Amino acid sequence: MQWTLPSFALAQPLQWNALLLFGSLLLFGLIAGHVVSKSPWVPRITGYLIVGFILGGGGLNWLSGDVLSVTNIFADIAVALVVYQLGRYVDIGWLRREKWLLATVVTSAVLCFVFVSLALSWFGTSQVLALLGGVWAIATAPAVVLVVLRDLKAEGQVTRRLATMTALNNFVAILAAYALLPVIAHESGTPVLTLVEHTAYSLIGSFVLAYLTYWLMMPLARLLGRQGSRQFVLVISVIALAIGVAHALHLPVMLTMLIFAILSKNLDRQYDLMELEFGVANELFVVMLFVTVGASMRLADLTMVGWSVLILIAARFVAMGCGVFVFARFARMNWKQAGLLTLGTLPMTEAGLGLMQTISTLYPHTTADVVPLLAGCLIVLELFGPVATQFALIKSGESGRE
């Protein structure tokens, strides 16, 4: 049998594959994050976002289509890990003692919805767009908050309240969006009953899947014992499994992970599950998440709805501030802490954009109207929001980074 060497001529153009993409984005993201973090006021995730923007549709257009769909897999895992860690800040026992924090979350959510919806409507935005903009204004970006507070090794009153508020207001925003969509959306060819059934299926399904995931993990945690390495692998595997099931059943991943994290924190009476540091694994997926978010940014989205974006951001900031300051004294916070907490909530969640894309088959017209506004807000608040959060935590005096 004769052996011949393959031709070294490239008959086909170079094709991205998962490993080439993963390695390249990690390398570019790492370098950019290191460069921007030379400034004490700019978090490294800003560098990841800039790399994604340059490589994505707003720049070189290398991250688009099928290539971007590969990065979305890593981004889903990153969001799930972030939401799981943030959800474990929600201690029901602590919230019972800190009733004013819960009042702050509820009041801020209501004010965000009212202020943003009215402001957008006042300036001529359609009713559906104004109401959904008000709903998504409720939520703070969980990935930004978690990464910044972990980078700064922040601990203290402002930090814990910011983390808990972020987890809870995302929970409220997702519930509100699913409850509101069948009422305000007018989709030709889709019966209202079908939309209501979809909402009920999504919400109930997420609760059931989260509980089943908790029910699966806790006996295994008890069996493996309190050994960090084993429990680390257990949590990663169970989260990956839950993401896969959620996608297969078309359930919202973020809501499922939030409920699962809150259950695992508050129902684990024997403390079988350890508080884990995800460290390097978390870092890998976070780089991919923010590069992917950056790749989805297009300046055209901002120019289409520029004034609406500015109105939403301003109304949201005022609403958050009112909600925090009203209960600041009752919650034993001084005015400086209340102001910094308000500033820390500036980044708006990317969950709204993800959910709109997920439900686009049921709500095609609503999605087409809402996505440009959410994408425009994402451009502004994902770029400047992390800087605001880092500034707030540093000025609070709770940063533990040397």
Side-chain angles (χ1 to χ4, degrees), residues 120 125 129 299-312 368-377 379:
L120 289 175
T125 306
L129 186 57
L299 291 179
D301 293 328
L302 184 58
T303 56
M304 286 172 57
V305 289
W307 282 110
S308 296
V309 168
L310 294 178
I311 292 165
L312 189 154
D369 291 338
V370 173
V371 164
L373 176 62
L374 292 177
C377 291
I379 293 172

Side-chain angles (χ1 to χ4, degrees), residues 62-197:
W62 290 355
L63 292 181
S64 59
D66 293 338
V67 177
L68 192 58
S69 66
V70 174
T71 65
N72 284 331
I73 297 172
F74 299 109
D76 280 344
I77 298 174
V79 169
L81 284 173
V82 164
V83 170
Y84 171 78
Q85 294 172 78
L86 206 58
R88 287 185 62 82
Y89 276 90
V90 181
D91 185 335
I92 302 299
W94 181 69
L95 282 176
R96 286 174 182 164
R97 298 189 298 272
E98 295 286 344
K99 296 182 178 66
W100 296 114
L101 176 60
L102 201 55
T104 300
V105 172
V106 173
T107 304
S108 297
V110 173
L111 291 178
C112 278
F113 176 73
V114 172
F115 282 21
V116 171
S117 299
L118 290 177
L120 289 175
S121 297
W122 182 269
F123 284 90
T125 306
S126 68
Q127 183 184 23
V128 172
L129 186 57
L131 291 174
L132 286 176
V135 167
W136 289 119
I138 294 170
T140 304
V144 171
V145 170
L146 184 72
V147 172
V148 170
L149 70 87
R150 289 290 170 88
D151 275 359
L152 295 176
K153 300 177 182 176
E155 288 289 343
Q157 188 177 20
V158 174
T159 300
R160 187 169 186 183
R161 289 175 185 278
L162 177 60
T164 305
M165 280 184 65
T166 301
L168 291 176
N169 64 29
N170 273 273
F171 183 74
V172 171
I174 296 173
L175 290 181
Y178 270 105
L180 193 64
L181 275 168
V183 178
I184 65 172
H186 303 288
E187 298 293 342
S188 57
T190 307
V192 175
L193 181 60
T194 301
L195 302 180
V196 174
E197 288 174 347

Side-chain angles (χ1 to χ4, degrees), residues 30 163 166 175 181 184 217 273 275 292 315 317 388 400:
L30 182 66
T166 301
L175 290 181
L181 275 168
I184 65 172
M217 188 171 72
L273 191 62
E275 294 292 343
T292 303
F317 185 74

